[in-house]
């Protein structure tokens, strides 16, 4: 079963999550990390299951919470290369994984 969580959508912020097989990916992180944590708890989404944060583009209402949340959760930020170039100065030590058009990305793989 797959679940979609709508944590918020609008000019003040956007954040969704898709969860399947016990793992989740955040799609955009346009609220503060604290606000995303609050909304996830209200929606019943366990952030410990998040394996990556995918950002559609660099606007604040899609990306502002990503740096802190990625570090807190220890997950990579998935973006296109141009988006990352614009976000990198604000991302601190958050890890990045480039996603190209029509690409497949694996996240949350067991570490050996």
């Amino acid at each position: 079963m797959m679940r979609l969580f709508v944590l918020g959508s609008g000019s003040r912020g956007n954040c969704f999550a898709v969860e399947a097989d016990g793992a989740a990916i955040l799609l955009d992180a346009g609220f503060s990390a604290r606000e995303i944590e609050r909304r996830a708890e209200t929606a019943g989404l366990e952030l410990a299951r998040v394996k990556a944060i995918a950002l559609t583009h660099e606007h604040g209402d899609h990306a502002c919470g990503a740096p802190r949340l990625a570090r807190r959760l220890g997950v990579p930020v998935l973006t296109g290369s141009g988006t990352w170039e614009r976000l990198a100065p604000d991302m601190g030590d958050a890890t990045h994984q480039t996603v190209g058009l029509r690409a497949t990305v694996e996240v949350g793989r067991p570490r050996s």
Side-chain angles (χ1 to χ4, degrees):
M1 176 173 73
M2 183 180 291
R3 297 193 315 164
L4 172 66
F5 297 86
V6 179
L7 303 182
S9 178
S11 61
R12 294 184 184 189
N14 296 276
C15 187
F16 300 82
V18 176
E19 181 181 59
D21 299 326
I25 293 179
L26 283 183
L27 305 172
D28 286 334
F31 301 101
S32 70
R34 179 176 291 159
E35 182 64 14
I36 291 170
E37 290 167 341
R38 186 189 71 74
R39 288 171 182 244
E41 183 176 349
T42 299
L45 171 64
E46 293 180 42
L47 288 180
R49 294 181 181 207
V50 170
K51 304 302 180 195
I53 301 170
L55 300 179
T56 58
H57 62 285
E58 68 275 6
H59 292 165
D61 62 328
H62 292 264
C64 74
R68 179 166 286 154
L69 198 57
R71 288 192 303 273
R72 281 186 190 171
L73 300 176
V75 300
V77 175
L78 312 175
T79 69
S81 58
T83 297
W84 184 255
E85 286 175 18
R86 290 185 278 292
L87 288 174
D90 299 322
M91 296 303 279
D93 59 356
T95 60
H96 175 249
Q97 192 168 345
T98 300
V99 179
L101 293 176
R102 298 178 300 274
T104 300
V105 177
E106 290 186 34
V107 295
R109 297 175 64 191
R111 297 174 195 230
S112 44

